[in-house]
Amino acid sequence: MSDGTTWHPTAYRSHNLGQIQNGEGVVGQTVTVCGFAEALRGKGKICFVDLRDGTGSAQIFLKQENMPEDEFIAVQSASRESTIQFVGEVAQKRPPKVAEGEPTPPPQYEVVAKSAKILAAANTPLPLGVTDDVHIDLDTRLNNRYLDLRREHVNSMFQLRSRVLQYGREFLIGEGFGEINTPK
């Protein structure tokens, strides 16, 4: 994961999006990934989905002829922040054209989807934007905490808090302190 802890596959995914984003030797492999749909682009026979989870984000490329039609239509009509699972093959994206003399950007990777499943459809319109930089009043944020916690700056505060508490706990255990349950 992004904080250095070991990640293990689950029933929902074989790889996290951070592994796909970094390329970690997964090109050509069939993977199962899931996350929140940040953006859906394209109509007709192709579609691009920007998928995000707690470890990173990746582009998912859908082609109507490569997957069942009902799944393709369901993904195209999905709303932002819906939770979607994809099965597909990891491929290196075509590098962008750069001006002569400019450095070549690092390679980027995407998943070419073979199947998709909407795990949870998001209601629209969303009460607050997750990736948009919009100022929302506190009551709306508190009433929709499940969306607010998906925002990167909010999530990073909780991860920092978790690391600080973990460091303090490990320090105290190293100093001989222990955890005990007190009788009620």
Side-chain angles (χ1 to χ4, degrees):
M1 296 183 77
S2 60
D3 64 354
T5 58
T6 304
W7 182 84
H8 301 286
T10 67
Y12 287 103
R13 57 187 181 180
S14 63
H15 294 76
N16 61 43
L17 295 175
Q19 292 171 315
I20 305 300
Q21 184 177 350
N22 295 330
E24 297 181 14
V26 293
V27 175
Q29 290 184 15
T30 299
V31 297
T32 303
V33 294
C34 65
F36 304 114
E38 194 169 291
L40 297 110
R41 301 179 309 277
K43 297 292 180 196
K45 297 187 183 284
I46 65 169
C47 181
F48 296 94
V49 178
D50 292 337
L51 202 65
R52 179 189 78 249
D53 70 6
T55 62
S57 62
Q59 178 175 281
I60 312 296
F61 174 65
L62 292 85
K63 201 170 188 181
Q64 189 174 16
E65 60 196 42
N66 291 352
M67 59 190 307
E69 188 173 347
D70 59 331
E71 294 176 5
F72 183 80
I73 291 169
V75 170
Q76 273 195 330
S77 61
S79 56
R80 288 176 56 192
E81 293 304 313
S82 292
T83 306
I84 308 175
Q85 178 186 52
F86 293 98
V87 176
E89 188 174 308
V90 179
Q92 185 172 338
K93 291 169 69 173
R94 190 176 342 159
K97 293 181 181 179
V98 293
E100 192 171 322
E102 293 289 320
T104 306
Q108 295 181 326
Y109 305 93
E110 66 183 357
V111 176
V112 180
K114 295 178 184 170
S115 70
K117 180 180 181 183
I118 299 191
L119 301 176
N123 293 333
T124 55
L126 293 172
L128 60 103
V130 175
T131 58
D132 308 327
D133 190 22
V134 179
H135 298 287
I136 306 294
D137 64 272
L138 184 60
D139 288 338
T140 303
R141 289 180 61 195
L142 291 174
N143 289 337
N144 300 283
R145 286 185 286 275
Y146 61 96
L147 288 175
D148 195 42
L149 288 172
R150 294 181 191 178
R151 297 170 64 174
E152 187 175 346
H153 72 282
V154 174
N155 193 295
S156 64
M157 287 188 297
F158 279 100
Q159 288 188 13
L160 175 63
R161 179 181 185 268
S162 173
R163 286 192 295 269
V164 168
L165 290 174
Q166 180 180 358
Y167 172 77
R169 182 172 181 265
E170 288 171 354
F171 174 79
L172 290 174
I173 289 171
E175 292 294 315
F177 290 89
E179 297 180 9
I180 58 168
N181 293 329
T182 56
K184 294 182 180 187

